[in-house]
Every structure is written in C-alpha cells, then in structure tokens.
C-alpha cells in the first residue's frame, strides 16, 4: 500500500500519531487498498494525478474549507467566488484546460464548494442543443469567463413538467428577433444557481411561438446583466430567492423578463431552426430538447451525488471505531460501536451502495458516450433507453444516497448533529438531489413508461425489433421458484440477480395488467395511468434495483486478476442484493418465488456478511481516498483523533472568540433584577 501521508494533511500536532483504535483496523490487510483506489480512479495514473492536484489545492490557504461552518450566507457566497477566481488563476498558470482531469480533481478536492457552477450546465446544454456555429461563438466566451452563464428552466409555478413552462419566446419576423417574456407571476424563473447575483447571461427555456403557432420548449441565450457595470439590462428583473436548506455558497435566483428582445441566432438550433421569415423547421424529435437534461443527470451522479454518500460512510465508519460504548461482555473493556451488529446494519448497506453506485455511474457514463455522438448526428434510436436509465438512476441513486447519508449521521449519535462532523451539510446537500434535475417520483414514472412500452413490445410475437438491453430480461425464460436450498446459495450472484429479474418482471407485468384492466373497463388512457402510478412506481424501482445488481456483478467479473479485491467487493455486492431482498420480502414472497424458509436463509447469509465486512470496513473507506481537507470533518479524519479535533474546532467558533452581545443587554439585567429582589 502507498504511504498514507497524503491523507493526513490538516497540520495538527496530534496528526503525527494515528489513534491506536483506527491504526489497529489497518494493521492486517486482506487486500491492497492502493489497488482498490486505483480501480475507483480508473487507473494508477489518475490516482497520482488526483493526489498531485489535491496537494496543490490544499497548500493554498486561499482555497481552505476550514471556516465554512462558521460563515454567514454572504460570506459563503463570496468565499466560493473567491475560490473560483483562484482556481481559474491556478489553471491558467499551470496550463490546465477547461475540460481537463486536473480541473475535475480540483473541484473534487474542494467538495464542489466553488462559485459559478452553472456555467458547466450552460455549456453542457450549449454543446448538446447548439449548432456548431453557436458552440464556436459562445463556448470560448464561457471558457475564458468573458461571460458568466446560468441555465434558467425552473419557474415559480413549474419545475419538472417542462411542457407546462409559461415563459414565451415569440418570433418577430420584422426585426428577426425573439421577444422573451414572463406573461404571469408563475412564469418567473426561480431557483437557477448563479442567477441571483453573478450571471451575465442565461440559457432560458421558453415556449417558442412563431408563425402564430406554439412549437414547444426551446432554449434561448438571453443577456441579463451589463458587461460594463453588472447592472440588470432593460426588461430584466433579477435577484436572489433568499435562505435555503443548504447551498449557501450558491446565489440561486429569480428572473422576470419583460418583452426582452434577443437576435434570431440566440435560439439553440441543432435540432430546430426558425428561418428569417418565421418558418419553423424541426430537425430532431420532440424529445431532443430534453437531451441537455440527460447529459447533466449522468454527470451529477458521479460528480456530486455519490461522493456525498461516500464521504458520509467514511466519516461514520471511522468514528465508529474510535467511539466506545458499553461492553459486549461484563469483563470486557468498552467496545467499539462498530463491533455492534446494529451499527453494522446501519452503516454497511450504505457502504455497499456507495460502491454499487460507483460502478453504476461508470456503466451509465459508458452507455451515454456510446449514444451521445449518434444523437448529435440525429440518430435517436438509443435516446429512449438513455433517457429512461438516466432518469431512473438519478432517482434511485439520489434516494438511496439521501437515506444512507442520514443513517450515517444518526449512527454518530450526538456528535453527528454537530456541523463540525461534516455530516449535517452532507445530508442537507444530498437532500437537494431528489429535486434538482427532475423530481424523483416523476423520473421513476418516466422510467415506468419506458418499461410499459418494452413489456408490450416483448409480448408482440410479430415484433422484429429487439428489446433495449436494460429491458432484455423481460423475454428471458421464466423461473417460477428460486432453486436455493442452503444459505450459501444466496451468495451466488447468478441466483440473486435472477431473483431480482423475476420480481422486476412480475411487477412490470402486474402494472401493465392493472393499466389495461382499467382501460378495458372504460377509463381513458390518461386516467388509467394516474390510477396505477403507485404500482408503476414500485415496478420501476424493482427494475432499477435489478439493473444496479446486474451492473455490480458484471463489474466484479472484470476483477478476476485481482482476487483479493474481487472477494471483498463481492461481499459488498452480496450485501447490496440481499439487503434489497430483506427490505422488500413481500415482493419475493408474493407469488411464491421465495419461500419463508428461503427468506430465513437469505437473512442468515446477510447477517453473516456483516461480520465479514466488519474486518475490512476501515480499509474500504480508506480506498475512497478523500483527504482530510476534502472531508472537512472533525469526526472523519484519517488519524482518528476525533475528540482533540472536535474540542479545538469548537473553541475556534466565533461564539467563543467574540464577546456575548446578549450579556449586557439582557442577561446581566435579568440576574441583577433577581438579586435586588433577594
């Protein structure tokens, strides 16, 4: 294993000595942690580059995160912009290109705590929806920060339902301009990051009206602030939406447009064009304007959402080998809380998910890259599956990351409630992911529509088209009963993958049956859908769980040359699959696929795995290789000196270093008032 020196970098005197309770966890290693880190990074060269970038970032005092927990909203915003400015200067000095791994690793090391993050979303949308000429014009302006752009889609009255957006862009053929307008209060753009105080331009999603007809949602580049003095341009009302649950460093804003005119060339035109005379030409499908959302969903899983769960696991599991409480036997010393099965039950399923989702994100990214170039060339054959997978995985992964991060926080007891633990900010930050880039329930149902179509296609004996790969199991031979006869059988990936495929296929069939029954009884298609959405939701979740299990098992097969790592990751894969079965036993018992006795076997296999994973738990969290500065947690540092750090950080709080403003005004008069009566 490589030296851990790069991880212990807070500069505290006690960091020179690792706490014995965490050191003992690293003493006997069943696998090479460095090799696993390399796998997670996509190669040893990436690990080396990442650590080099982190060393540069963490040696710069201007880029420190240590005061974040004590800052006001205004201070967080200014600090985030300052960090962005310094990163930009650093990138220019060191020759880091805009889409380089170096900048990606710099952002990771700063936990995404940088201003102007929506520039990235604007550029992703521009490259997906813009013509080559538009990309050539606007992309360099963004890269050089000559403009600051945001992505303005969500409105005060509409979010995930894009067809309901009220902002209008009416084409004026006389001037060859679009008139972009917010016709109602609820049409005000609401929530876009960087809009409140920073952005000079916005990519506004609006309903196109040309030649007297509505043509649906399209994207328009709208200047909103002066490049001279940053004041709002004519017709623009813009500002910050106020306090939020988290993301204090981001100036989420509102934008009201009063007949703002932009040139015809400012409508992104890869998939649709408006000619000078107002003729509308469609070059893509109705879904092509959603491509930018697909692109962003794929990226945010690996860049934003999954790392939050990984960090929560690192903090909670490290703290759980330092914290001692009660005795396992009366004669024993107090036990590490991670030695208790209930603590393992809290923390190991989220750890298994953190690893599962890493491989899921990689698989989704690979599928995206295979599909993306074809879509840009207007071959949309893979878009329905890409949309269904990206929407569904965004929902499933963010839901489980939210649950897992909160479990980790609660597993740390009272100290987990302290912001200094790092856990509350992880929880509140990941909580936003169930809403941004598509509300999760709506996304599950979009996946469900894809599954209904796939199921009906599978039932057509005359169909010559093959099913999308992720739904191919719907035509696989049906297995009525699980063949497991002993506990060890439930540790066979083929068995539990087949079990998940069976349940997902049954629930999809059931959802289609309920839908068709309602329609046959007289309900129209829309009403029938609404009356069966709870069933569709359940089917979509089972399908997505099956896909994640399948991806995890396939990732393990590629590790045959690293048997020790393959073994430890297989235990996490087993735990992930079995935890899903144990929390959804009714679905597996419903049609007798599993018996009560087999559920007991699965539970025994599951509980046995907790004990096996226990001995590798710290090593598995070390493999994520988050530096102490990146974690920014008094509980989660590599050295395990939890109590020293928590006490020191608390003493640095402004409430302890500044005077008490309430004493002279209120406390002293109260105390003296009682004394005079006495």
């Amino acid at each position: 294993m490589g030296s851990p020196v790069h991880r212990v970098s807070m500069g505290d005197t006690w960091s020179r000595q690792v706490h014995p309770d965490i050191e003992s966890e690293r003493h006997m290693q069943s696998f090479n942690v460095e090799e696993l880190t390399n796998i997670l990074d996509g190669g040893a060269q990436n690990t080396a580059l990442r650590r080099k970038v982190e060393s540069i970032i963490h040696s710069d005092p201007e880029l420190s995160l240590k005061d974040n927990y004590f800052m006001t909203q205004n201070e967080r915003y200014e600090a985030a912009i300052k960090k962005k400015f310094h990163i930009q200067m650093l990138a220019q000095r060191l020759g880091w290109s805009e889409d380089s791994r170096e900048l990606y690793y710099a952002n990771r090391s700063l936990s995404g705590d940088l201003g102007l993050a929506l520039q990235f979303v604007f550029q992703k949308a521009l490259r997906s929806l813009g013509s080559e000429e538009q990309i050539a014009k606007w992309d360099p302006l963004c890269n050089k920060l000559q403009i600051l752009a945001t992505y303005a889609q969500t409105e005060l009255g509409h979010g995930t339902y894009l067809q309901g957006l009220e902002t209008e862009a009416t084409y004026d053929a006389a001037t060859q301009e679009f008139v972009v307008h917010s016709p109602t209060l609820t049409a005000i753009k609401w929530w876009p990051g960087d809009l409140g105080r920073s952005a000079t331009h916005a990519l506004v999603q609006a309903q196109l009206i040309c030649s007297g007809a509505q043509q649906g949602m399209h994207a328009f580049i709208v200047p909103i602030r002066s490049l001279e003095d940053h004041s709002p341009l004519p017709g623009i009302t813009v500002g910050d939406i106020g306090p939020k649950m988290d993301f204090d460093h981001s100036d989420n804003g509102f934008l009201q447009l009063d007949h703002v005119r932009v040139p015809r060339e400012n409508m992104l035109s890869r998939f649709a064009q408006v000619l000078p005379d107002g003729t509308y030409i469609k070059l893509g499908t109705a879904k092509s304007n959603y491509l930018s959302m697909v692109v962003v969903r794929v990226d945010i899983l690996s860049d934003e959402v999954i790392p939050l769960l990984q960090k929560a696991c690192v903090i909670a599991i490290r703290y759980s080998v330092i914290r001692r409480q009660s005795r396992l036997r009366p004669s024993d010393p107090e036990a590490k809380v991670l030695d208790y099965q209930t603590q393992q039950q809290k923390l190991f399923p989220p750890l298994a998910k953190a690893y599962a989702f890493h491989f899921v994100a990689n698989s989704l990214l690979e599928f995206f890259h295979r599909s993306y170039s074809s879509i840009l060339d207007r071959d949309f054959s893979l878009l329905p599956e890409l949309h269904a997978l990206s929407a569904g995985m965004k929902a499933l992964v963010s839901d489980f990351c939210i649950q897992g991060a909160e479990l980790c926080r609660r597993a740390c007891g009272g100290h987990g409630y302290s912001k200094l633990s790092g856990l509350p900010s992880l929880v509140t930050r990941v909580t936003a992911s169930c809403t941004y880039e598509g509300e999760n329930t709506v996304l599950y149902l979009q996946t469900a529509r894809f599954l209904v179509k796939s199921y009906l296609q599978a039932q057509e004996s005359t169909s010559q088209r093959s099913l999308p790969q992720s739904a191919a199991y719907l035509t696989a031979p049906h297995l009525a009963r699980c063949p497991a006869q002993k506990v060890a059988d439930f540790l066979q990936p083929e068995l539990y993958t087949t079990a998940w495929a069976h349940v997902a296929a049954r629930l999809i069939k059931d959802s289609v049956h309920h839908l068709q029954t309602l329609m046959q009884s007289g309900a129209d298609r829309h009403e029938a859908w609404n009356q069966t959405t709870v069933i569709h939701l359940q089917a979509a979740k089972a399908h997505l769980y099956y896909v994640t299990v399948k991806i995890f098992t396939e990732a393990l097969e590629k590790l045959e040359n690293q048997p020790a790592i393959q073994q430890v990751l297989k235990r996490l894969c087993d735990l992930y699959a079995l935890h899903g079965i144990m929390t959804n036993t009714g679905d597996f018992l419903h049609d007798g696929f599993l018996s009560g006795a087999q559920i007991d076997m699965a539970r025994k296999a599951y509980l046995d795995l907790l004990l096996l994973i226990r001995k590798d738990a710290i090593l598995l969290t070390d493999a994520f290789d988050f530096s102490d500065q990146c974690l920014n947690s008094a509980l989660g540092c590599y050295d395990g000196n939890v109590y020293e750090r928590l006490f020191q950080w608390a003493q640095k709080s402004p409430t302890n270093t500044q005077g008490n403003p309430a004493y002279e005004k209120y406390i002293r008069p109260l105390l003296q008032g009682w004394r005079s009566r006495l």
Side-chain angles (χ1 to χ4, degrees):
M1 178 183 166
S3 167
V5 171
H6 65 275
R7 297 192 185 95
V8 186
S9 45
M10 296 296 264
D12 302 314
T13 53
W14 56 77
S15 283
R16 296 170 193 162
Q17 186 170 357
V18 177
H19 194 290
D21 279 349
I22 202 165
E23 190 171 33
S24 64
E25 300 283 336
R26 299 180 176 123
H27 186 61
M28 293 291 291
Q29 299 193 359
S30 64
F31 67 95
N32 188 311
V33 175
E34 187 74 2
E35 284 185 15
L36 180 52
T37 298
N38 296 159
I39 290 169
L40 295 174
D41 281 333
Q45 71 282 1
N46 289 340
T47 300
L49 179 62
R50 174 177 55 75
R51 288 176 182 165
K52 180 182 177 182
V53 171
E54 287 174 351
S55 177
I56 293 168
I57 297 299
H58 297 325
S59 64
D60 188 338
E62 297 289 352
L63 298 173
S64 172
L65 300 173
K66 67 180 182 180
D67 294 326
N68 274 11
Y69 300 130
F70 305 118
M71 289 182 180
T72 64
Q73 182 181 352
N74 276 333
E75 289 169 339
R76 284 288 306 278
Y77 166 73
E78 184 180 352
I81 297 291
K82 180 181 77 171
K83 290 187 185 76
K84 178 68 174 181
F85 175 83
H86 279 281
I87 289 288
Q88 212 58 30
M89 297 301 103
L90 202 61
Q92 288 179 17
R93 192 170 79 245
L94 298 175
W96 295 348
S97 61
E98 192 58 34
D99 291 321
S100 65
R101 280 196 174 272
E102 287 90 346
L103 273 181
Y104 170 78
Y105 290 140
N107 186 62
R108 179 190 191 267
S109 68
L110 290 167
S111 304
D113 200 51
L114 293 170
L116 312 180
L118 267 287
Q119 186 105 319
F120 154 83
V121 180
F122 174 94
Q123 288 182 271
K124 289 286 185 182
L126 173 68
R127 294 167 191 170
S128 301
L129 304 178
S131 66
E132 295 305 317
E133 294 80 10
Q134 289 170 325
I135 295 170
K137 174 182 177 179
W138 294 100
D139 217 27
L141 295 176
C142 292
N143 290 339
K144 296 173 185 174
L145 294 183
Q146 291 177 318
I147 66 169
L148 305 177
T150 185
Y151 180 82
Q153 177 173 294
T154 301
E155 297 175 353
L156 192 56
H158 283 90
T160 305
Y161 180 58
L162 302 188
Q163 295 176 44
L165 294 179
E166 297 178 82
T167 304
E168 297 172 348
T170 305
Y171 184 65
D172 182 351
T175 61
Q176 294 192 32
E177 293 174 314
F178 292 103
V179 181
V180 189
H181 181 58
S182 309
T184 63
L185 178 71
T186 49
I188 295 172
K189 295 297 180 183
W190 196 271
W191 276 112
D194 303 332
L195 178 61
R197 300 196 244 182
S198 308
T200 62
H201 290 67
L203 187 64
V204 175
Q205 292 284 5
Q207 301 290 351
L208 170 63
I209 302 171
C210 62
S211 302
Q214 282 208 0
Q215 304 294 351
M217 184 185 72
H218 291 70
F220 302 84
I221 297 174
V222 181
I224 60 173
R225 286 186 175 95
S226 165
L227 292 175
E228 299 299 323
D229 62 6
H230 212 58
S231 60
L233 294 173
I236 299 291
T237 302
V238 65
D240 190 281
I241 64 170
K244 309 175 293 283
M245 194 170 174
D246 203 316
F247 287 90
D248 284 345
H249 67 283
S250 176
D251 54 320
N252 296 81
F254 61 80
L255 172 65
Q256 188 174 35
L257 300 133
D258 184 5
H259 298 92
V260 176
R261 288 180 172 267
V262 298
R264 182 176 66 90
E265 294 77 19
N266 282 27
M267 185 184 97
L268 298 190
S269 57
R270 180 180 294 275
F271 299 118
Q273 294 176 5
V274 175
L275 300 183
D277 65 358
T279 302
Y280 177 73
I281 300 177
K282 183 185 291 186
L283 303 171
T285 72
K287 299 292 185 184
S288 55
N289 278 326
Y290 295 76
L291 180 59
S292 60
M293 294 188 69
V294 172
V295 174
V296 174
R297 280 178 195 144
V298 171
D299 283 326
I300 62 168
L301 287 183
S302 56
D303 296 355
E304 168 72 15
V305 180
I306 297 169
L308 296 173
L309 177 61
Q310 292 172 341
K311 289 179 185 178
C313 290
V314 173
I315 294 167
I317 290 173
R318 284 180 178 173
Y319 175 65
S320 293
V321 300
I322 301 298
R323 183 72 174 191
R324 289 179 175 270
Q325 188 166 305
S326 303
R327 296 175 173 85
L328 287 168
R329 298 180 185 84
S331 58
D332 288 352
E334 284 193 273
K336 297 178 178 181
V337 294
L338 197 61
D339 289 335
Y340 292 101
Q341 190 184 61
T342 49
Q343 189 78 345
Q344 297 164 13
Q345 153 71 2
K346 289 176 189 174
L347 295 179
F348 294 168
L351 179 64
K353 286 173 179 141
Y355 272 92
F357 296 157
H358 167 83
F359 295 112
V360 166
N362 280 356
S363 176
L364 190 58
L365 202 57
E366 288 171 12
F367 180 48
F368 170 76
H369 286 310
R370 289 200 308 271
S371 314
Y372 188 58
S373 56
S374 298
I375 294 169
L376 292 184
D377 290 335
R378 298 168 190 155
D379 173 2
F380 300 103
S381 57
L382 290 174
L383 183 56
E385 184 178 20
L386 179 61
H387 171 67
L389 270 178
S390 63
M393 284 305 175
K394 184 269 179 183
L396 185 86
V397 170
S398 60
D399 270 354
F400 279 138
C401 286
I402 292 164
Q403 294 169 20
E406 172 61 10
L407 271 172
C408 289
R409 188 197 65 75
R410 292 170 64 179
C412 292
H415 292 332
Y417 196 70
S418 167
K419 277 193 175 183
L420 303 183
S421 73
L423 289 163
S425 59
L426 292 175
V427 170
T428 52
R429 185 159 179 159
V430 76
T431 296
S433 68
C434 70
T435 307
Y436 63 56
E437 299 308 323
E439 193 278 331
N440 280 2
T441 300
V442 176
L443 296 187
Y444 282 127
L445 291 175
Q446 289 175 3
T447 302
R449 288 187 186 276
F450 165 80
L451 293 173
V452 169
K453 290 176 184 176
S454 297
Y455 179 82
L456 292 174
Q457 181 185 330
Q459 299 307 301
E460 294 174 8
S461 57
T462 57
S463 177
Q464 299 299 310
R465 293 178 299 141
S466 60
L467 282 178
Q469 187 178 356
S470 60
Y473 68 97
L474 293 176
T475 58
H478 178 66
L479 188 66
R481 298 285 182 271
C482 175
Q485 296 181 339
K486 56 185 184 298
V487 171
D489 291 342
F490 280 96
L491 301 178
Q492 296 177 13
E494 185 180 355
L495 185 137
Y496 56 64
T497 305
T498 300
W500 272 108
H502 171 88
V503 164
R506 181 185 63 77
L507 288 171
I508 293 166
K509 177 183 178 181
D510 190 45
S511 70
V512 174
H513 172 73
H514 279 82
L515 183 67
Q516 291 176 330
T517 300
L518 275 177
M519 291 171 65
Q520 288 164 5
S521 67
D524 66 41
R525 182 167 55 90
H526 304 290
E527 180 60 23
W529 175 261
N530 184 46
Q531 293 301 321
T532 53
T533 46
V534 171
I535 302 170
H536 292 300
L537 199 71
Q538 186 183 15
K541 289 180 179 180
H543 163 76
L544 292 162
Y545 209 106
Y546 157 73
V547 172
T548 57
V549 169
K550 186 169 182 286
I551 288 171
F552 203 168
T553 58
E554 289 171 350
L556 291 176
E557 292 169 5
K558 299 173 184 176
L559 298 173
E560 288 181 352
N561 295 330
Q562 295 165 287
I565 288 175
Q566 186 184 50
Q567 181 185 56
V568 74
L569 290 184
K570 181 184 177 297
R571 289 171 184 159
L572 292 177
C573 184
D574 295 343
L575 190 81
Y576 177 72
L578 293 178
H579 183 261
I581 291 173
M582 298 313 300
T583 51
N584 297 278
T585 51
D587 291 336
F588 291 84
L589 290 167
H590 183 273
D591 63 346
F593 182 78
L594 288 183
S595 66
Q598 286 175 323
I599 290 292
D600 289 342
M601 293 176 201
R603 182 176 61 187
K604 178 71 166 64
Y606 170 79
L607 294 177
D608 289 348
L609 283 167
L610 296 178
L611 202 57
L612 292 171
I613 293 168
R614 165 65 187 93
K615 65 185 178 65
D616 294 318
I618 287 296
L619 304 178
L620 285 164
T621 59
D622 285 350
F624 290 134
D625 205 33
F626 290 112
S627 65
D628 287 351
Q629 289 98 327
C630 181
L631 285 174
N632 202 21
S633 166
L635 302 189
C637 283
Y638 185 86
D639 61 26
N641 293 306
V642 167
Y643 302 120
E644 295 88 343
R645 190 165 283 108
L646 195 55
F647 183 47
Q648 191 199 52
W649 286 16
Q651 290 178 84
K652 291 180 179 177
S653 170
T655 55
N656 291 319
T657 58
Q658 300 168 5
N660 183 347
Y663 177 73
E664 290 295 336
K665 289 181 181 178
Y666 308 111
I667 295 176
R668 184 176 177 180
L670 278 172
L671 292 173
Q672 291 181 345
W674 283 111
R675 190 181 303 163
S676 63
R677 294 182 194 177
L678 291 170

